[in-house]
Amino acid sequence: MSQAVQLKVATEKLIPNLAYAFTSRTTFVKELMQNANRAGSSTVSIWTTDDGFVIEDDGVVITNMQDLLTVAESGWDDSVKITQKPFGIGWLSALFAADWVCVSSNGSTLEGMTADILNFAEIGLKRSEDLYGKPGTRVELRGIKATEDEVIAAAKKLAKGFPIPVELNGVRLPRPHAQDNDERTWIQTPVGAFSVPGIEKGQVKPVVDLYLQGFRVGSTAALTNWFDNNPEE
């Protein structure tokens, strides 16, 4: 008798293991900033608190809170899905980064302990009448595993080439490599705008920083150092 098998998912094991998909304790900062940009926000506002972290934007609202808790369902519109290919798991980094989370958007608030959410507990939504009809989303995390200094350092680093302004505790962060920086020269290509941040006058071996969707993903410094140490390769 012939046999057959098919792909299945051990959901109870998959969710805890997703924690290892996020590379650092501050990955959530990048993911929440990226979500704000995808929402069409004009600015990302980041605030550190005594026991956590808040990020606010003025972009399109979340119309279905269930999308936040549905793995591989990003909830973005077709234009964002085509251009940025969201995977629908990045927001989960916030759940692994903190003990408590609160998300408010479009007159609705999701609030709860992250351990309960990750254990598939049903989380009731609260009505926030003062937010109904207003743009934007507010995410608050408490009991985060990263230190305040780590969050601040991550925000400053991520802001350098970010597509929209980033404010940290009310102060706008420098974005020397951002595309709207008039001091840079940009060349349009089929895969996006191209510039060469990192090159400074007088450098014999210029260092080039590489960005994808506003985030630094690499640098030629590592290659330069490698070739300096391996001249015969």
Side-chain angles (χ1 to χ4, degrees), residues 42-57:
S42 63
T43 305
V44 184
S45 297
I46 301 170
W47 305 87
T48 56
T49 64
D50 290 340
D51 58 352
F53 166 92
V54 174
I55 183 167
E56 298 176 317
D57 68 61

Side-chain angles (χ1 to χ4, degrees), residues 55-74:
I55 183 167
E56 298 176 317
D57 68 61
D58 58 3
V60 296
V61 297
I62 300 173
T63 57
N64 185 1
M65 286 289 185
Q66 181 59 58
D67 288 339
L68 292 180
L69 302 184
T70 303
V71 178
E73 177 53 69
S74 68

Side-chain angles (χ1 to χ4, degrees), residues 46-47 80 103 116 163 233:
I46 301 170
W47 305 87
V80 172
V103 184
D116 294 335
E233 296 291 337

